[in-house]
mmCIF file with all atom_site columns, all heavy atoms in Angstrom:
data_model
loop_
_atom_site.group_PDB
_atom_site.id
_atom_site.type_symbol
_atom_site.label_atom_id
_atom_site.label_alt_id
_atom_site.label_comp_id
_atom_site.label_asym_id
_atom_site.label_entity_id
_atom_site.label_seq_id
_atom_site.pdbx_PDB_ins_code
_atom_site.Cartn_x
_atom_site.Cartn_y
_atom_site.Cartn_z
_atom_site.occupancy
_atom_site.B_iso_or_equiv
_atom_site.pdbx_formal_charge
_atom_site.auth_seq_id
_atom_site.auth_comp_id
_atom_site.auth_asym_id
_atom_site.auth_atom_id
_atom_site.pdbx_PDB_model_num
ATOM 1   N N   . ALA A 1 1  ? 96.599  0.104  46.249 1.00 90.00 ? 7  ALA A N   1
ATOM 2   C CA  . ALA A 1 1  ? 97.297  1.290  46.214 1.00 90.00 ? 7  ALA A CA  1
ATOM 3   C C   . ALA A 1 1  ? 98.010  1.556  44.856 1.00 90.00 ? 7  ALA A C   1
ATOM 4   O O   . ALA A 1 1  ? 97.982  2.547  44.231 1.00 90.00 ? 7  ALA A O   1
ATOM 5   C CB  . ALA A 1 1  ? 98.253  1.473  47.415 1.00 90.00 ? 7  ALA A CB  1
ATOM 6   N N   . HIS A 1 2  ? 98.615  0.397  44.369 1.00 90.00 ? 8  HIS A N   1
ATOM 7   C CA  . HIS A 1 2  ? 99.212  0.484  43.043 1.00 90.00 ? 8  HIS A CA  1
ATOM 8   C C   . HIS A 1 2  ? 98.156  0.784  41.972 1.00 90.00 ? 8  HIS A C   1
ATOM 9   O O   . HIS A 1 2  ? 98.425  1.709  41.091 1.00 90.00 ? 8  HIS A O   1
ATOM 10  C CB  . HIS A 1 2  ? 99.884  -0.911 42.744 1.00 90.00 ? 8  HIS A CB  1
ATOM 11  C CG  . HIS A 1 2  ? 100.346 -1.165 41.346 1.00 90.00 ? 8  HIS A CG  1
ATOM 12  N ND1 . HIS A 1 2  ? 99.593  -1.872 40.442 1.00 90.00 ? 8  HIS A ND1 1
ATOM 13  C CD2 . HIS A 1 2  ? 101.487 -0.651 40.759 1.00 90.00 ? 8  HIS A CD2 1
ATOM 14  C CE1 . HIS A 1 2  ? 100.351 -1.823 39.271 1.00 90.00 ? 8  HIS A CE1 1
ATOM 15  N NE2 . HIS A 1 2  ? 101.454 -1.123 39.519 1.00 90.00 ? 8  HIS A NE2 1
ATOM 16  N N   . HIS A 1 3  ? 97.008  0.220  42.012 1.00 88.00 ? 9  HIS A N   1
ATOM 17  C CA  . HIS A 1 3  ? 95.945  0.471  41.048 1.00 88.00 ? 9  HIS A CA  1
ATOM 18  C C   . HIS A 1 3  ? 95.439  1.878  41.098 1.00 88.00 ? 9  HIS A C   1
ATOM 19  O O   . HIS A 1 3  ? 95.226  2.529  40.163 1.00 88.00 ? 9  HIS A O   1
ATOM 20  C CB  . HIS A 1 3  ? 94.861  -0.576 41.298 1.00 88.00 ? 9  HIS A CB  1
ATOM 21  C CG  . HIS A 1 3  ? 93.772  -0.374 40.183 1.00 88.00 ? 9  HIS A CG  1
ATOM 22  N ND1 . HIS A 1 3  ? 93.888  -0.753 38.920 1.00 88.00 ? 9  HIS A ND1 1
ATOM 23  C CD2 . HIS A 1 3  ? 92.566  0.212  40.311 1.00 88.00 ? 9  HIS A CD2 1
ATOM 24  C CE1 . HIS A 1 3  ? 92.838  -0.494 38.263 1.00 88.00 ? 9  HIS A CE1 1
ATOM 25  N NE2 . HIS A 1 3  ? 91.880  0.097  39.101 1.00 88.00 ? 9  HIS A NE2 1
ATOM 26  N N   . ARG A 1 4  ? 95.331  2.395  42.389 1.00 87.00 ? 10 ARG A N   1
ATOM 27  C CA  . ARG A 1 4  ? 94.896  3.767  42.627 1.00 87.00 ? 10 ARG A CA  1
ATOM 28  C C   . ARG A 1 4  ? 95.909  4.763  41.871 1.00 87.00 ? 10 ARG A C   1
ATOM 29  O O   . ARG A 1 4  ? 95.446  5.706  41.322 1.00 87.00 ? 10 ARG A O   1
ATOM 30  C CB  . ARG A 1 4  ? 94.832  4.101  44.059 1.00 87.00 ? 10 ARG A CB  1
ATOM 31  C CG  . ARG A 1 4  ? 94.346  5.597  44.271 1.00 87.00 ? 10 ARG A CG  1
ATOM 32  C CD  . ARG A 1 4  ? 94.096  5.827  45.755 1.00 87.00 ? 10 ARG A CD  1
ATOM 33  N NE  . ARG A 1 4  ? 92.932  5.187  46.271 1.00 87.00 ? 10 ARG A NE  1
ATOM 34  C CZ  . ARG A 1 4  ? 91.830  5.886  46.431 1.00 87.00 ? 10 ARG A CZ  1
ATOM 35  N NH1 . ARG A 1 4  ? 91.688  7.139  46.105 1.00 87.00 ? 10 ARG A NH1 1
ATOM 36  N NH2 . ARG A 1 4  ? 90.758  5.286  46.917 1.00 87.00 ? 10 ARG A NH2 1
ATOM 37  N N   . LEU A 1 5  ? 97.262  4.509  42.027 1.00 87.00 ? 11 LEU A N   1
ATOM 38  C CA  . LEU A 1 5  ? 98.157  5.401  41.369 1.00 87.00 ? 11 LEU A CA  1
ATOM 39  C C   . LEU A 1 5  ? 98.116  5.340  39.843 1.00 87.00 ? 11 LEU A C   1
ATOM 40  O O   . LEU A 1 5  ? 98.170  6.315  39.170 1.00 87.00 ? 11 LEU A O   1
ATOM 41  C CB  . LEU A 1 5  ? 99.664  5.057  41.867 1.00 87.00 ? 11 LEU A CB  1
ATOM 42  C CG  . LEU A 1 5  ? 100.006 5.484  43.254 1.00 87.00 ? 11 LEU A CG  1
ATOM 43  C CD1 . LEU A 1 5  ? 101.535 5.218  43.435 1.00 87.00 ? 11 LEU A CD1 1
ATOM 44  C CD2 . LEU A 1 5  ? 99.672  6.908  43.581 1.00 87.00 ? 11 LEU A CD2 1
ATOM 45  N N   . LEU A 1 6  ? 97.801  4.131  39.351 1.00 86.00 ? 12 LEU A N   1
ATOM 46  C CA  . LEU A 1 6  ? 97.640  3.973  37.898 1.00 86.00 ? 12 LEU A CA  1
ATOM 47  C C   . LEU A 1 6  ? 96.415  4.687  37.380 1.00 86.00 ? 12 LEU A C   1
ATOM 48  O O   . LEU A 1 6  ? 96.396  5.333  36.349 1.00 86.00 ? 12 LEU A O   1
ATOM 49  C CB  . LEU A 1 6  ? 97.547  2.489  37.546 1.00 86.00 ? 12 LEU A CB  1
ATOM 50  C CG  . LEU A 1 6  ? 98.786  1.690  37.613 1.00 86.00 ? 12 LEU A CG  1
ATOM 51  C CD1 . LEU A 1 6  ? 98.470  0.219  37.315 1.00 86.00 ? 12 LEU A CD1 1
ATOM 52  C CD2 . LEU A 1 6  ? 99.792  2.131  36.649 1.00 86.00 ? 12 LEU A CD2 1
ATOM 53  N N   . THR A 1 7  ? 95.326  4.709  38.186 1.00 85.00 ? 13 THR A N   1
ATOM 54  C CA  . THR A 1 7  ? 94.023  5.272  37.634 1.00 85.00 ? 13 THR A CA  1
ATOM 55  C C   . THR A 1 7  ? 93.889  6.740  38.095 1.00 85.00 ? 13 THR A C   1
ATOM 56  O O   . THR A 1 7  ? 93.286  7.493  37.261 1.00 85.00 ? 13 THR A O   1
ATOM 57  C CB  . THR A 1 7  ? 92.842  4.383  38.134 1.00 85.00 ? 13 THR A CB  1
ATOM 58  O OG1 . THR A 1 7  ? 92.905  4.374  39.589 1.00 85.00 ? 13 THR A OG1 1
ATOM 59  C CG2 . THR A 1 7  ? 92.857  3.116  37.491 1.00 85.00 ? 13 THR A CG2 1
ATOM 60  N N   . SER A 1 8  ? 94.331  7.133  39.234 1.00 85.00 ? 14 SER A N   1
ATOM 61  C CA  . SER A 1 8  ? 94.046  8.408  39.736 1.00 85.00 ? 14 SER A CA  1
ATOM 62  C C   . SER A 1 8  ? 95.203  9.466  39.629 1.00 85.00 ? 14 SER A C   1
ATOM 63  O O   . SER A 1 8  ? 95.067  10.585 39.751 1.00 85.00 ? 14 SER A O   1
ATOM 64  C CB  . SER A 1 8  ? 93.626  8.378  41.225 1.00 85.00 ? 14 SER A CB  1
ATOM 65  O OG  . SER A 1 8  ? 92.419  7.597  41.389 1.00 85.00 ? 14 SER A OG  1
ATOM 66  N N   . GLY A 1 9  ? 96.448  8.852  39.392 1.00 87.00 ? 15 GLY A N   1
ATOM 67  C CA  . GLY A 1 9  ? 97.517  9.693  39.273 1.00 87.00 ? 15 GLY A CA  1
ATOM 68  C C   . GLY A 1 9  ? 98.514  9.675  40.348 1.00 87.00 ? 15 GLY A C   1
ATOM 69  O O   . GLY A 1 9  ? 98.137  9.269  41.503 1.00 87.00 ? 15 GLY A O   1
ATOM 70  N N   . TRP A 1 10 ? 99.730  10.125 40.194 1.00 86.00 ? 16 TRP A N   1
ATOM 71  C CA  . TRP A 1 10 ? 100.774 10.057 41.105 1.00 86.00 ? 16 TRP A CA  1
ATOM 72  C C   . TRP A 1 10 ? 101.251 11.543 41.357 1.00 86.00 ? 16 TRP A C   1
ATOM 73  O O   . TRP A 1 10 ? 101.282 12.320 40.414 1.00 86.00 ? 16 TRP A O   1
ATOM 74  C CB  . TRP A 1 10 ? 101.945 9.315  40.729 1.00 86.00 ? 16 TRP A CB  1
ATOM 75  C CG  . TRP A 1 10 ? 103.188 9.386  41.469 1.00 86.00 ? 16 TRP A CG  1
ATOM 76  C CD1 . TRP A 1 10 ? 103.574 8.704  42.698 1.00 86.00 ? 16 TRP A CD1 1
ATOM 77  C CD2 . TRP A 1 10 ? 104.302 10.276 41.259 1.00 86.00 ? 16 TRP A CD2 1
ATOM 78  N NE1 . TRP A 1 10 ? 104.719 9.189  43.158 1.00 86.00 ? 16 TRP A NE1 1
ATOM 79  C CE2 . TRP A 1 10 ? 105.256 10.083 42.250 1.00 86.00 ? 16 TRP A CE2 1
ATOM 80  C CE3 . TRP A 1 10 ? 104.578 11.116 40.271 1.00 86.00 ? 16 TRP A CE3 1
ATOM 81  C CZ2 . TRP A 1 10 ? 106.484 10.809 42.335 1.00 86.00 ? 16 TRP A CZ2 1
ATOM 82  C CZ3 . TRP A 1 10 ? 105.776 11.826 40.316 1.00 86.00 ? 16 TRP A CZ3 1
ATOM 83  C CH2 . TRP A 1 10 ? 106.753 11.684 41.380 1.00 86.00 ? 16 TRP A CH2 1
ATOM 84  N N   . CYS A 1 11 ? 101.611 11.950 42.528 1.00 88.00 ? 17 CYS A N   1
ATOM 85  C CA  . CYS A 1 11 ? 102.246 13.225 42.833 1.00 88.00 ? 17 CYS A CA  1
ATOM 86  C C   . CYS A 1 11 ? 103.320 13.104 43.678 1.00 88.00 ? 17 CYS A C   1
ATOM 87  O O   . CYS A 1 11 ? 103.599 12.038 44.443 1.00 88.00 ? 17 CYS A O   1
ATOM 88  C CB  . CYS A 1 11 ? 101.135 14.177 43.432 1.00 88.00 ? 17 CYS A CB  1
ATOM 89  S SG  . CYS A 1 11 ? 100.682 13.793 45.056 1.00 88.00 ? 17 CYS A SG  1
ATOM 90  N N   . SER A 1 12 ? 104.120 14.186 43.964 1.00 86.00 ? 18 SER A N   1
ATOM 91  C CA  . SER A 1 12 ? 105.249 14.217 44.882 1.00 86.00 ? 18 SER A CA  1
ATOM 92  C C   . SER A 1 12 ? 105.102 15.488 45.673 1.00 86.00 ? 18 SER A C   1
ATOM 93  O O   . SER A 1 12 ? 104.469 16.455 45.144 1.00 86.00 ? 18 SER A O   1
ATOM 94  C CB  . SER A 1 12 ? 106.609 14.172 44.230 1.00 86.00 ? 18 SER A CB  1
ATOM 95  O OG  . SER A 1 12 ? 106.826 15.210 43.434 1.00 86.00 ? 18 SER A OG  1
ATOM 96  N N   . GLY A 1 13 ? 105.582 15.512 46.872 1.00 84.00 ? 19 GLY A N   1
ATOM 97  C CA  . GLY A 1 13 ? 105.467 16.733 47.789 1.00 84.00 ? 19 GLY A CA  1
ATOM 98  C C   . GLY A 1 13 ? 104.290 16.855 48.569 1.00 84.00 ? 19 GLY A C   1
ATOM 99  O O   . GLY A 1 13 ? 104.201 17.787 49.349 1.00 84.00 ? 19 GLY A O   1
ATOM 100 N N   . ALA A 1 14 ? 103.264 15.992 48.340 1.00 85.00 ? 20 ALA A N   1
ATOM 101 C CA  . ALA A 1 14 ? 101.991 16.089 49.197 1.00 85.00 ? 20 ALA A CA  1
ATOM 102 C C   . ALA A 1 14 ? 101.371 14.666 49.102 1.00 85.00 ? 20 ALA A C   1
ATOM 103 O O   . ALA A 1 14 ? 101.607 13.856 48.228 1.00 85.00 ? 20 ALA A O   1
ATOM 104 C CB  . ALA A 1 14 ? 101.139 17.081 48.453 1.00 85.00 ? 20 ALA A CB  1
ATOM 105 N N   . LEU A 1 15 ? 100.507 14.462 50.186 1.00 86.00 ? 21 LEU A N   1
ATOM 106 C CA  . LEU A 1 15 ? 99.689  13.217 50.063 1.00 86.00 ? 21 LEU A CA  1
ATOM 107 C C   . LEU A 1 15 ? 98.723  13.178 48.995 1.00 86.00 ? 21 LEU A C   1
ATOM 108 O O   . LEU A 1 15 ? 98.650  12.142 48.321 1.00 86.00 ? 21 LEU A O   1
ATOM 109 C CB  . LEU A 1 15 ? 99.063  12.985 51.461 1.00 86.00 ? 21 LEU A CB  1
ATOM 110 C CG  . LEU A 1 15 ? 99.840  12.690 52.751 1.00 86.00 ? 21 LEU A CG  1
ATOM 111 C CD1 . LEU A 1 15 ? 98.970  12.612 53.949 1.00 86.00 ? 21 LEU A CD1 1
ATOM 112 C CD2 . LEU A 1 15 ? 100.500 11.322 52.496 1.00 86.00 ? 21 LEU A CD2 1
ATOM 113 N N   . VAL A 1 16 ? 98.086  14.274 48.823 1.00 87.00 ? 22 VAL A N   1
ATOM 114 C CA  . VAL A 1 16 ? 97.133  14.375 47.692 1.00 87.00 ? 22 VAL A CA  1
ATOM 115 C C   . VAL A 1 16 ? 97.284  15.795 47.142 1.00 87.00 ? 22 VAL A C   1
ATOM 116 O O   . VAL A 1 16 ? 97.359  16.782 47.825 1.00 87.00 ? 22 VAL A O   1
ATOM 117 C CB  . VAL A 1 16 ? 95.647  14.203 48.247 1.00 87.00 ? 22 VAL A CB  1
ATOM 118 C CG1 . VAL A 1 16 ? 94.641  14.340 47.055 1.00 87.00 ? 22 VAL A CG1 1
ATOM 119 C CG2 . VAL A 1 16 ? 95.508  13.025 49.001 1.00 87.00 ? 22 VAL A CG2 1
ATOM 120 N N   . ASP A 1 17 ? 97.339  15.924 45.764 1.00 86.00 ? 23 ASP A N   1
ATOM 121 C CA  . ASP A 1 17 ? 97.430  17.213 45.134 1.00 86.00 ? 23 ASP A CA  1
ATOM 122 C C   . ASP A 1 17 ? 95.987  17.690 44.769 1.00 86.00 ? 23 ASP A C   1
ATOM 123 O O   . ASP A 1 17 ? 95.100  17.041 45.098 1.00 86.00 ? 23 ASP A O   1
ATOM 124 C CB  . ASP A 1 17 ? 98.405  17.231 44.000 1.00 86.00 ? 23 ASP A CB  1
ATOM 125 C CG  . ASP A 1 17 ? 97.821  16.488 42.782 1.00 86.00 ? 23 ASP A CG  1
ATOM 126 O OD1 . ASP A 1 17 ? 96.738  16.019 42.827 1.00 86.00 ? 23 ASP A OD1 1
ATOM 127 O OD2 . ASP A 1 17 ? 98.624  16.441 41.733 1.00 86.00 ? 23 ASP A OD2 1
ATOM 128 N N   . GLU A 1 18 ? 96.014  18.867 44.251 1.00 87.00 ? 24 GLU A N   1
ATOM 129 C CA  . GLU A 1 18 ? 94.686  19.543 43.914 1.00 87.00 ? 24 GLU A CA  1
ATOM 130 C C   . GLU A 1 18 ? 93.875  18.724 42.834 1.00 87.00 ? 24 GLU A C   1
ATOM 131 O O   . GLU A 1 18 ? 92.705  18.972 42.765 1.00 87.00 ? 24 GLU A O   1
ATOM 132 C CB  . GLU A 1 18 ? 94.815  20.983 43.470 1.00 87.00 ? 24 GLU A CB  1
ATOM 133 C CG  . GLU A 1 18 ? 95.774  21.224 42.228 1.00 87.00 ? 24 GLU A CG  1
ATOM 134 C CD  . GLU A 1 18 ? 97.205  21.196 42.510 1.00 87.00 ? 24 GLU A CD  1
ATOM 135 O OE1 . GLU A 1 18 ? 97.644  21.146 43.629 1.00 87.00 ? 24 GLU A OE1 1
ATOM 136 O OE2 . GLU A 1 18 ? 97.927  21.332 41.466 1.00 87.00 ? 24 GLU A OE2 1
ATOM 137 N N   . ASP A 1 19 ? 94.522  17.938 42.032 1.00 85.00 ? 25 ASP A N   1
ATOM 138 C CA  . ASP A 1 19 ? 93.878  17.184 41.055 1.00 85.00 ? 25 ASP A CA  1
ATOM 139 C C   . ASP A 1 19 ? 93.386  15.827 41.536 1.00 85.00 ? 25 ASP A C   1
ATOM 140 O O   . ASP A 1 19 ? 92.777  15.049 40.770 1.00 85.00 ? 25 ASP A O   1
ATOM 141 C CB  . ASP A 1 19 ? 94.774  16.919 39.788 1.00 85.00 ? 25 ASP A CB  1
ATOM 142 C CG  . ASP A 1 19 ? 95.106  18.261 39.145 1.00 85.00 ? 25 ASP A CG  1
ATOM 143 O OD1 . ASP A 1 19 ? 94.202  19.207 39.126 1.00 85.00 ? 25 ASP A OD1 1
ATOM 144 O OD2 . ASP A 1 19 ? 96.227  18.344 38.601 1.00 85.00 ? 25 ASP A OD2 1
ATOM 145 N N   . GLY A 1 20 ? 93.810  15.482 42.829 1.00 85.00 ? 26 GLY A N   1
ATOM 146 C CA  . GLY A 1 20 ? 93.316  14.073 43.332 1.00 85.00 ? 26 GLY A CA  1
ATOM 147 C C   . GLY A 1 20 ? 94.412  13.076 43.219 1.00 85.00 ? 26 GLY A C   1
ATOM 148 O O   . GLY A 1 20 ? 94.216  12.009 43.633 1.00 85.00 ? 26 GLY A O   1
ATOM 149 N N   . ALA A 1 21 ? 95.566  13.470 42.613 1.00 88.00 ? 27 ALA A N   1
ATOM 150 C CA  . ALA A 1 21 ? 96.657  12.518 42.484 1.00 88.00 ? 27 ALA A CA  1
ATOM 151 C C   . ALA A 1 21 ? 97.296  12.230 43.886 1.00 88.00 ? 27 ALA A C   1
ATOM 152 O O   . ALA A 1 21 ? 97.251  13.190 44.673 1.00 88.00 ? 27 ALA A O   1
ATOM 153 C CB  . ALA A 1 21 ? 97.778  13.026 41.477 1.00 88.00 ? 27 ALA A CB  1
ATOM 154 N N   . ARG A 1 22 ? 97.850  11.140 44.133 1.00 90.00 ? 28 ARG A N   1
ATOM 155 C CA  . ARG A 1 22 ? 98.390  10.763 45.450 1.00 90.00 ? 28 ARG A CA  1
ATOM 156 C C   . ARG A 1 22 ? 99.841  10.296 45.325 1.00 90.00 ? 28 ARG A C   1
ATOM 157 O O   . ARG A 1 22 ? 100.284 9.825  44.274 1.00 90.00 ? 28 ARG A O   1
ATOM 158 C CB  . ARG A 1 22 ? 97.517  9.713  46.097 1.00 90.00 ? 28 ARG A CB  1
ATOM 159 C CG  . ARG A 1 22 ? 96.135  10.190 46.333 1.00 90.00 ? 28 ARG A CG  1
ATOM 160 C CD  . ARG A 1 22 ? 95.325  9.028  47.026 1.00 90.00 ? 28 ARG A CD  1
ATOM 161 N NE  . ARG A 1 22 ? 93.996  9.475  47.274 1.00 90.00 ? 28 ARG A NE  1
ATOM 162 C CZ  . ARG A 1 22 ? 93.663  10.071 48.398 1.00 90.00 ? 28 ARG A CZ  1
ATOM 163 N NH1 . ARG A 1 22 ? 94.479  10.213 49.407 1.00 90.00 ? 28 ARG A NH1 1
ATOM 164 N NH2 . ARG A 1 22 ? 92.348  10.456 48.542 1.00 90.00 ? 28 ARG A NH2 1
ATOM 165 N N   . CYS A 1 23 ? 100.508 10.505 46.470 1.00 90.00 ? 29 CYS A N   1
ATOM 166 C CA  . CYS A 1 23 ? 101.882 9.885  46.570 1.00 90.00 ? 29 CYS A CA  1
ATOM 167 C C   . CYS A 1 23 ? 101.696 8.431  47.011 1.00 90.00 ? 29 CYS A C   1
ATOM 168 O O   . CYS A 1 23 ? 100.596 7.987  47.225 1.00 90.00 ? 29 CYS A O   1
ATOM 169 C CB  . CYS A 1 23 ? 102.660 10.647 47.594 1.00 90.00 ? 29 CYS A CB  1
ATOM 170 S SG  . CYS A 1 23 ? 102.261 10.499 49.303 1.00 90.00 ? 29 CYS A SG  1
ATOM 171 N N   . MET A 1 24 ? 102.858 7.801  47.207 1.00 91.00 ? 30 MET A N   1
ATOM 172 C CA  . MET A 1 24 ? 102.758 6.325  47.580 1.00 91.00 ? 30 MET A CA  1
ATOM 173 C C   . MET A 1 24 ? 102.036 6.112  48.848 1.00 91.00 ? 30 MET A C   1
ATOM 174 O O   . MET A 1 24 ? 101.163 5.276  49.029 1.00 91.00 ? 30 MET A O   1
ATOM 175 C CB  . MET A 1 24 ? 104.195 5.702  47.549 1.00 91.00 ? 30 MET A CB  1
ATOM 176 C CG  . MET A 1 24 ? 104.823 5.781  46.302 1.00 91.00 ? 30 MET A CG  1
ATOM 177 S SD  . MET A 1 24 ? 106.700 5.515  46.427 1.00 91.00 ? 30 MET A SD  1
ATOM 178 C CE  . MET A 1 24 ? 106.657 3.771  46.393 1.00 91.00 ? 30 MET A CE  1
ATOM 179 N N   . ILE A 1 25 ? 102.468 6.918  49.921 1.00 91.00 ? 31 ILE A N   1
ATOM 180 C CA  . ILE A 1 25 ? 101.852 6.733  51.223 1.00 91.00 ? 31 ILE A CA  1
ATOM 181 C C   . ILE A 1 25 ? 100.344 7.313  51.217 1.00 91.00 ? 31 ILE A C   1
ATOM 182 O O   . ILE A 1 25 ? 99.478  6.739  51.825 1.00 91.00 ? 31 ILE A O   1
ATOM 183 C CB  . ILE A 1 25 ? 102.634 7.579  52.319 1.00 91.00 ? 31 ILE A CB  1
ATOM 184 C CG1 . ILE A 1 25 ? 104.031 6.962  52.499 1.00 91.00 ? 31 ILE A CG1 1
ATOM 185 C CG2 . ILE A 1 25 ? 101.893 7.754  53.558 1.00 91.00 ? 31 ILE A CG2 1
ATOM 186 C CD1 . ILE A 1 25 ? 103.940 5.545  53.145 1.00 91.00 ? 31 ILE A CD1 1
ATOM 187 N N   . GLY A 1 26 ? 100.135 8.317  50.358 1.00 90.00 ? 32 GLY A N   1
ATOM 188 C CA  . GLY A 1 26 ? 98.716  8.818  50.221 1.00 90.00 ? 32 GLY A CA  1
ATOM 189 C C   . GLY A 1 26 ? 97.827  7.754  49.671 1.00 90.00 ? 32 GLY A C   1
ATOM 190 O O   . GLY A 1 26 ? 96.608  7.527  50.036 1.00 90.00 ? 32 GLY A O   1
ATOM 191 N N   . ALA A 1 27 ? 98.295  7.019  48.660 1.00 90.00 ? 33 ALA A N   1
ATOM 192 C CA  . ALA A 1 27 ? 97.542  5.886  48.067 1.00 90.00 ? 33 ALA A CA  1
ATOM 193 C C   . ALA A 1 27 ? 97.271  4.844  49.095 1.00 90.00 ? 33 ALA A C   1
ATOM 194 O O   . ALA A 1 27 ? 96.184  4.200  49.190 1.00 90.00 ? 33 ALA A O   1
ATOM 195 C CB  . ALA A 1 27 ? 98.265  5.365  46.828 1.00 90.00 ? 33 ALA A CB  1
ATOM 196 N N   . ILE A 1 28 ? 98.340  4.470  49.764 1.00 91.00 ? 34 ILE A N   1
ATOM 197 C CA  . ILE A 1 28 ? 98.174  3.392  50.836 1.00 91.00 ? 34 ILE A CA  1
ATOM 198 C C   . ILE A 1 28 ? 97.183  3.828  51.900 1.00 91.00 ? 34 ILE A C   1
ATOM 199 O O   . ILE A 1 28 ? 96.256  3.053  52.284 1.00 91.00 ? 34 ILE A O   1
ATOM 200 C CB  . ILE A 1 28 ? 99.565  3.038  51.493 1.00 91.00 ? 34 ILE A CB  1
ATOM 201 C CG1 . ILE A 1 28 ? 100.441 2.330  50.538 1.00 91.00 ? 34 ILE A CG1 1
ATOM 202 C CG2 . ILE A 1 28 ? 99.399  2.225  52.784 1.00 91.00 ? 34 ILE A CG2 1
ATOM 203 C CD1 . ILE A 1 28 ? 101.912 2.110  50.982 1.00 91.00 ? 34 ILE A CD1 1
ATOM 204 N N   . ARG A 1 29 ? 97.191  5.052  52.380 1.00 90.00 ? 35 ARG A N   1
ATOM 205 C CA  . ARG A 1 29 ? 96.337  5.588  53.366 1.00 90.00 ? 35 ARG A CA  1
ATOM 206 C C   . ARG A 1 29 ? 94.878  5.541  52.795 1.00 90.00 ? 35 ARG A C   1
ATOM 207 O O   . ARG A 1 29 ? 93.928  5.184  53.565 1.00 90.00 ? 35 ARG A O   1
ATOM 208 C CB  . ARG A 1 29 ? 96.713  6.961  53.887 1.00 90.00 ? 35 ARG A CB  1
ATOM 209 C CG  . ARG A 1 29 ? 95.942  7.482  54.855 1.00 90.00 ? 35 ARG A CG  1
ATOM 210 C CD  . ARG A 1 29 ? 96.535  8.769  55.577 1.00 90.00 ? 35 ARG A CD  1
ATOM 211 N NE  . ARG A 1 29 ? 97.754  8.381  56.200 1.00 90.00 ? 35 ARG A NE  1
ATOM 212 C CZ  . ARG A 1 29 ? 98.672  9.225  56.595 1.00 90.00 ? 35 ARG A CZ  1
ATOM 213 N NH1 . ARG A 1 29 ? 98.609  10.452 56.338 1.00 90.00 ? 35 ARG A NH1 1
ATOM 214 N NH2 . ARG A 1 29 ? 99.790  8.812  57.148 1.00 90.00 ? 35 ARG A NH2 1
ATOM 215 N N   . ALA A 1 30 ? 94.705  5.921  51.589 1.00 89.00 ? 36 ALA A N   1
ATOM 216 C CA  . ALA A 1 30 ? 93.367  6.017  51.059 1.00 89.00 ? 36 ALA A CA  1
ATOM 217 C C   . ALA A 1 30 ? 92.752  4.525  51.025 1.00 89.00 ? 36 ALA A C   1
ATOM 218 O O   . ALA A 1 30 ? 91.547  4.438  51.211 1.00 89.00 ? 36 ALA A O   1
ATOM 219 C CB  . ALA A 1 30 ? 93.308  6.701  49.691 1.00 89.00 ? 36 ALA A CB  1
ATOM 220 N N   . GLU A 1 31 ? 93.583  3.637  50.682 1.00 88.00 ? 37 GLU A N   1
ATOM 221 C CA  . GLU A 1 31 ? 93.128  2.278  50.476 1.00 88.00 ? 37 GLU A CA  1
ATOM 222 C C   . GLU A 1 31 ? 93.047  1.486  51.790 1.00 88.00 ? 37 GLU A C   1
ATOM 223 O O   . GLU A 1 31 ? 92.291  0.518  51.826 1.00 88.00 ? 37 GLU A O   1
ATOM 224 C CB  . GLU A 1 31 ? 93.969  1.513  49.492 1.00 88.00 ? 37 GLU A CB  1
ATOM 225 C CG  . GLU A 1 31 ? 93.891  2.073  48.048 1.00 88.00 ? 37 GLU A CG  1
ATOM 226 C CD  . GLU A 1 31 ? 92.518  1.878  47.414 1.00 88.00 ? 37 GLU A CD  1
ATOM 227 O OE1 . GLU A 1 31 ? 91.791  0.968  47.785 1.00 88.00 ? 37 GLU A OE1 1
ATOM 228 O OE2 . GLU A 1 31 ? 92.215  2.747  46.571 1.00 88.00 ? 37 GLU A OE2 1
ATOM 229 N N   . ALA A 1 32 ? 93.680  1.966  52.824 1.00 87.00 ? 38 ALA A N   1
ATOM 230 C CA  . ALA A 1 32 ? 93.630  1.237  54.160 1.00 87.00 ? 38 ALA A CA  1
ATOM 231 C C   . ALA A 1 32 ? 92.390  1.440  54.792 1.00 87.00 ? 38 ALA A C   1
ATOM 232 O O   . ALA A 1 32 ? 91.946  0.700  55.749 1.00 87.00 ? 38 ALA A O   1
ATOM 233 C CB  . ALA A 1 32 ? 94.856  1.748  55.017 1.00 87.00 ? 38 ALA A CB  1
ATOM 234 N N   . GLY A 1 33 ? 91.548  2.454  54.418 1.00 85.00 ? 39 GLY A N   1
ATOM 235 C CA  . GLY A 1 33 ? 90.304  2.724  54.995 1.00 85.00 ? 39 GLY A CA  1
ATOM 236 C C   . GLY A 1 33 ? 90.339  2.955  56.525 1.00 85.00 ? 39 GLY A C   1
ATOM 237 O O   . GLY A 1 33 ? 89.388  2.529  57.280 1.00 85.00 ? 39 GLY A O   1
ATOM 238 N N   . GLY A 1 34 ? 91.344  3.548  56.982 1.00 85.00 ? 40 GLY A N   1
ATOM 239 C CA  . GLY A 1 34 ? 91.394  4.007  58.470 1.00 85.00 ? 40 GLY A CA  1
ATOM 240 C C   . GLY A 1 34 ? 92.058  2.963  59.307 1.00 85.00 ? 40 GLY A C   1
ATOM 241 O O   . GLY A 1 34 ? 92.233  3.223  60.525 1.00 85.00 ? 40 GLY A O   1
#
């Protein structure tokens, strides 16, 4: 999740923004694979 934020970007106020950047929980959720 840390690496995802570094490479894909960070955002606030949403799990994923329109550019594909994620918040902390959004990055964890994406990397958890369900």
Side-chain angles (χ1 to χ4, degrees):
H8 172 258
H9 183 71
R10 180 177 284 263
L11 287 187
L12 287 175
T13 57
S14 299
W16 169 85
C17 71
S18 66
L21 285 175
V22 182
D23 71 2
E24 62 275 356
D25 297 328
R28 297 180 179 269
C29 71
M30 298 167 84
I31 293 294
I34 290 172
R35 185 167 292 163
E37 293 297 329

